[in-house]
Amino acid sequence: WLKFCVSSISRLVHPMEAANQYLGEFKALFKRPRLFANQILNVGCIIFSALMLWKGLMVTSGSESPVVVVLSGSMEPGLQRGDLLFLNLFDRDPFIPGDVIVFQIKGRDIPIVHRVLNVHESSPGDFRMLTKGDNNQVDDRGLYNDRQLFIGRQEIMGRAQAFAPYFGMVTIWLNDYPWLKFLMIGSLVFFSMIGRE
């Protein structure tokens, strides 16, 4: 039993030693301005690389938001809360009933992921659609703005092409627990700053 207690205590000491080592490296970074500037540039490169990747996805998909997370259970059982959707928005492909689309109603912050029920096209490129969540009892007219019966091209963010199950749960956790967002970003910056090449 004593041997077990000693080994448990020694395992607790190691994380403290690692934390002290990381803190020491971070303090030493401020004593070397050239290395500090280099690490700041590295963090900037990481941020700008992520932005360039996002912009590249926007260009190739034709959508202003090429990746979205399903935030509710309104599309169950087909799409679960936390699924990651990959969108595109090409005008050459007409919308048909059964398509899963993402749209955003003017004046609302959160986009909606629902299925197209029917499409009314008055002329090429000019259409109106009615949508509904697979798990909802009624269509989405109650979600649209007052006296709006259909949505048009201006509300549509994209059409779902593929999905990754539960890959978006991190986004949901970050929205539900804002302190987790600051912890994650702070950790990424911290470890990028003390990182060795």
Side-chain angles (χ1 to χ4, degrees):
W1 182 80
L2 183 61
K3 188 176 183 178
F4 173 75
C5 288
V6 169
S7 69
S8 297
I9 291 172
S10 68
R11 275 191 236 134
L12 289 176
V13 172
H14 291 300
M16 289 305 293
E17 287 176 7
N20 285 333
Q21 179 185 358
Y22 286 135
L23 194 57
E25 289 178 19
F26 194 67
K27 287 178 182 176
L29 191 61
F30 288 104
K31 295 177 184 173
R32 300 174 62 193
R34 189 172 272 173
L35 181 62
F36 181 72
N38 186 30
Q39 293 302 83
I40 291 288
L41 289 174
N42 285 341
V43 170
C45 284
I46 291 169
I47 292 169
F48 285 117
S49 295
L51 289 174
M52 286 190 306
L53 178 66
W54 184 258
K55 287 294 185 182
L57 284 172
M58 286 174 65
V59 168
T60 57
S61 70
S63 174
E64 69 183 56
S65 185
V67 180
V68 295
V69 176
V70 178
L71 297 175
S72 74
S74 66
M75 286 297 289
E76 291 179 356
L79 297 172
Q80 304 291 325
R81 184 172 192 255
D83 287 354
L84 197 64
L85 293 179
F86 300 95
L87 310 178
N88 75 18
L89 188 60
F90 297 121
D91 290 331
R92 67 177 183 267
D93 301 326
F95 289 97
I96 58 172
D99 283 347
V100 175
I101 63 166
V102 178
F103 60 95
Q104 189 163 7
I105 302 298
K106 194 177 293 185
R108 307 252 172 102
D109 293 334
I110 299 172
I112 301 168
V113 179
H114 280 176
R115 192 174 305 277
V116 175
L117 273 183
N118 55 43
V119 180
H120 304 283
E121 189 168 6
S122 56
S123 64
D126 184 27
F127 57 86
R128 300 281 178 248
M129 289 189 284
L130 180 63
T131 57
K132 177 184 175 296
D134 291 351
N135 200 23
N136 293 348
Q137 298 297 319
V138 295
D139 62 41
D140 289 344
R141 287 186 175 140
L143 297 175
Y144 303 157
N145 286 329
D146 192 33
R147 297 187 183 145
Q148 182 180 2
L149 299 177
F150 301 97
I151 59 171
R153 173 69 174 82
Q154 67 274 8
E155 285 103 354
I156 298 170
M157 297 173 66
R159 178 192 342 240
Q161 295 298 315
F163 77 101
Y166 301 110
F167 273 64
M169 285 306 291
V170 173
T171 302
I172 291 174
W173 295 333
L174 293 176
N175 284 334
D176 288 349
Y177 308 105
W179 60 268
L180 192 60
K181 189 183 308 182
F182 295 113
L183 179 69
M184 187 178 90
I185 291 171
S187 298
L188 287 172
V189 169
F190 177 75
F191 286 111
S192 296
M193 291 293 289
I194 66 168
R196 300 176 192 94
E197 303 208 29

